[in-house]
Amino acid sequence: MSIQPLGDRVLVQEIEVKEVSVGGIILPDSAKEKPQEAKVIAIGTGGIDSNGKEITFHVAEGDTVIVSQYGGTPVKADGQEYKILNQNDILAIVK
């Protein structure tokens, strides 16, 4: 299955945090923070925004980004978990 976001939306896959702390303690799921790093899988179709300007994307497929902790809509496809979010929910590109 292929997912193509529409408009200014971006499909990302979260990058999981390590399960072991620096001191070697294994962290239970309840103690883990929600991941904020994600890999861009697909970008939207673009279009025209409400002000009549063309939507330009500042990220590309394959980029590693930092996203809003609770932003986006979770989606499952082919046994994988993804998130569809607005480009505005992407806070930074990791270089």
Side-chain angles (χ1 to χ4, degrees):
M1 174 194 296
S2 179
I3 299 174
Q4 173 65 55
L6 300 176
D8 71 338
R9 291 176 182 83
V10 179
L11 179 70
V12 299
Q13 187 170 30
E14 294 177 335
I15 299 172
E16 292 295 323
V17 294
K18 297 177 185 174
E19 294 183 12
V20 179
S21 71
V22 177
I25 299 171
I26 297 175
L27 300 172
D29 287 338
S30 60
K32 291 181 191 174
E33 287 186 25
K34 244 177 124 54
Q36 285 188 275
E37 277 194 30
K39 180 179 179 183
V40 176
I41 305 299
I43 59 174
T45 55
I48 306 295
D49 67 11
S50 60
N51 296 325
K53 294 184 180 178
E54 186 176 342
I55 296 171
T56 57
F57 287 94
H58 304 287
V59 295
E61 293 179 11
D63 283 352
T64 300
V65 295
I66 297 174
V67 299
S68 296
Q69 197 166 14
Y70 296 101
T73 302
V75 176
K76 286 187 180 182
D78 297 331
Q80 299 285 329
E81 292 186 17
Y82 301 98
K83 223 184 225 190
I84 296 177
L85 43 91
N86 290 326
Q87 183 173 218
N88 293 340
D89 289 331
I90 297 175
L91 306 175
I93 299 172
V94 178
K95 294 191 177 204

